[in-house]
Amino acid sequence: MPTTRLQLPSIGLTELQELISLEGLPKFRAKQIMDWRNKGVLNPENMGNIPQNIRQWLKDTLCCEPLTLSAKQCSEDGTRKYLFTLPSGKNIETVLIPESERGTVCVSSQVGCVLDCPFCHTGTQKFEANLSAGEIVAQVLAVKEDLRQHPMQEDLHHDVTHLVYMGMGEPMANEQGLHQSLAMLMSEEGLHISRRRITVSTSGLTPQITQLGEAYPVNLAISLHSAINSERDILVPINIKYPLEILRECLNTYPLAHQRHITLEYLLLDGINDREEDIQALVNFVNPERERINLIRFNPYPNSPYSGTPTERMNSFAKSLISKGIRATVRRSRGQDIMAACGQLKSSNTTKTTS
Ligand code: SAH
Ligand code: SF4
């Protein structure tokens, strides 16, 4: 099965050099192959300076293209949403969010999600699989390749500069895929993206957050959504296992890069977590020295059970926090016209059944 073979998107240079040498082929070819790979060229047939016998060897030895692009949608604001199919036939989604100075790719880490936050479209989908490191990295490489083939309009950045693990799935519940993909994305011989440009978003699996901080101290975003345990138990059910007190301790020790902070994501749901007592609970919870709040507008999806707080009240919620010494911003939603915004990603029709 191709999925059990080493995958070109995530293989290290030394590993590839060893494989090539074992075959009696010239070792310097490994570096050339890596250069193609890092540009997003994964099909050996498109690797111009690689001779035919090595292209064939690559195809026979590695899983070169773990993802097939099945569909692509472009938003009016430049956002692109990709539907990729895995060798198993399962689908995942990836989003590119271009701005004038940066291009951010939002990667998926699982097919579906192991958790089931009630406001999240992905959470309504059955958990099907963890993505391998190769499948996570391949999402980034495929976007790079798409940008080369179909350049971005001029006022927007032309390449991938930033990465967020905020697509489908809970990255901390796929620790192996997360860590191994970060190894390639951050390494010098890989895409060499700085830890300051990578953000992992999690609903709050505290042991895994600590592990991540020790191994790959990238930026951290926490899906907080409430600073009241009884409320968060419902909105983010992992809170039952790792309540706010445990999360607090964990956040206090997470390593931060210079002048960086932890982002606390807070989705505002009308009449649910946008009340005066929610502000007070946040004030008690947040450490303003190390943390900032990012207020998120609720992105509806078909049959979603909530409605978002109206804009005016979102703004006054933000102002209220700011007046109490907490840094809070309202996130601009992108790609909503193509259902590419946070929490709208869903790749199949398999729905969780509630008992
Ligand atoms: N599982 C991880 C990462 C993926 S979700 C996590 O929960 O953090 C990425 C972000 O989208 C999270 O902050 C999540 O809470 C938010 N989100 C989920 N559903 C949403 C919706 N319907 N509208 C707006 N944001 C949503
Ligand atoms: Fe999973 Fe994150 Fe959605 Fe919760 S918000 S169901 S953890 S993807």
Side-chain angles (χ1 to χ4, degrees):
M1 276 292 289
T3 41
T4 56
R5 287 188 293 171
L6 286 169
Q7 296 184 323
L8 179 58
S10 54
I11 197 169
L13 179 61
T14 320
E15 217 171 356
L16 188 60
Q17 281 171 335
E18 275 168 16
L19 283 177
I20 282 199
S21 304
L22 273 176
E23 205 61 28
L25 295 167
K27 198 170 147 184
F28 75 93
R29 295 290 182 192
K31 176 75 175 62
Q32 291 178 324
I33 293 168
M34 285 288 156
D35 290 343
W36 285 111
R37 190 271 308 264
N38 292 345
K39 274 193 244 172
V41 177
L42 291 176
N43 182 348
E45 290 308 329
N46 297 333
M47 299 180 176
N49 57 359
I50 303 296
Q52 195 53 46
N53 64 326
I54 299 189
R55 290 184 194 180
Q56 193 54 49
W57 171 82
L58 251 184
K59 283 192 267 184
D60 294 342
T61 314
L62 299 184
C63 168
C64 294
E65 296 179 278
L67 302 179
T68 308
L69 179 59
S70 297
K72 184 175 109 179
Q73 282 175 282
C74 298
S75 160
E76 284 164 5
D77 66 15
T79 302
R80 295 180 185 180
K81 182 166 87 165
Y82 305 85
L83 183 74
F84 293 113
T85 305
L86 304 166
S88 60
K90 296 177 173 51
N91 291 320
I92 52 162
E93 288 184 327
T94 306
V95 181
L96 166 70
I97 306 145
E99 291 170 83
S100 55
E101 307 287 318
R102 59 167 76 180
T104 304
V105 175
C106 176
V107 292
S108 291
S109 54
Q110 298 182 317
V111 186
C113 184
V114 272
L115 305 174
D116 42 13
C117 309
F119 53 80
C120 173
H121 204 196
T122 308
T124 64
Q125 189 185 330
K126 204 166 102 285
F127 170 70
E128 294 187 72
N130 278 328
L131 296 186
S132 67
E135 289 159 351
I136 295 174
V137 173
Q139 296 172 58
V140 184
L141 296 175
V143 174
K144 281 176 85 72
E145 175 67 353
D146 180 53
L147 277 168
R148 283 189 329 123
Q149 306 264 349
H150 308 281
M152 193 49 78
Q153 62 203 60
E154 254 177 28
D155 53 330
L156 295 172
H157 201 275
H158 59 276
D159 200 1
V160 177
T161 58
H162 290 69
L163 272 182
V164 292
Y165 285 71
M166 285 191 192
M168 293 167 53
E170 170 49 59
M172 300 290 181
N174 177 11
E175 223 176 358
Q176 186 179 345
L178 173 65
H179 285 213
Q180 289 181 0
S181 59
L182 285 171
M184 182 288 186
L185 292 163
M186 293 169 74
S187 81
E188 242 173 87
E189 69 205 30
L191 291 193
H192 204 192
I193 303 178
S194 138
R195 69 182 269 213
R196 300 173 65 85
R197 293 175 167 223
I198 302 179
T199 301
V200 174
S201 176
T202 174
S203 54
L205 283 76
T206 54
Q208 287 81 356
I209 295 174
T210 305
Q211 294 281 332
L212 180 72
E214 282 165 12
Y216 302 97
V218 293
N219 299 316
L220 183 66
I222 301 290
S223 294
L224 188 65
H225 308 323
S226 173
I228 301 172
N229 270 325
S230 56
E231 201 169 87
R232 193 165 189 266
D233 283 350
I234 297 168
L235 293 177
V236 189
I238 195 70
N239 193 67
I240 299 168
K241 190 163 180 193
Y242 304 118
L244 290 163
E245 304 71 48
I246 303 218
L247 183 62
R248 177 72 274 148
E249 272 178 40
C250 170
L251 297 188
N252 287 347
T253 54
Y254 191 83
L256 294 182
H258 182 57
Q259 289 191 327
R260 283 295 149 115
H261 52 267
I262 295 171
T263 303
L264 302 176
E265 298 162 285
Y266 198 100
L267 176 65
L268 277 166
L269 300 170
D270 195 13
I272 307 274
N273 61 355
D274 59 356
R275 303 153 310 160
E276 197 49 48
E277 60 200 276
D278 293 301
I279 297 180
Q280 198 44 54
L282 274 173
V283 172
N284 295 339
F285 181 78
V286 175
N287 173 356
E289 301 290 317
R290 287 171 48 88
E291 296 156 11
R292 286 184 195 176
I293 296 190
N294 196 204
L295 297 171
I296 308 175
R297 196 178 303 280
F298 175 63
N299 292 316
Y301 54 88
N303 301 322
S304 51
Y306 295 103
S307 45
T309 302
T311 305
E312 214 171 287
R313 267 201 287 125
M314 273 188 93
N315 292 338
S316 64
F317 196 93
K319 272 193 204 144
S320 200
L321 288 172
I322 293 165
S323 72
K324 292 176 167 66
I326 295 179
R327 280 193 265 184
T329 47
V330 177
R331 183 189 291 173
R332 194 158 64 96
S333 191
R334 302 283 305 267
Q336 225 175 339
D337 53 331
I338 54 167
M339 290 273 291
C342 283
Q344 290 184 309
L345 303 181
K346 185 172 190 278
S347 61
S348 80
N349 293 324
T350 54
T351 300
K352 278 177 184 152
T353 45
T354 42
S355 48

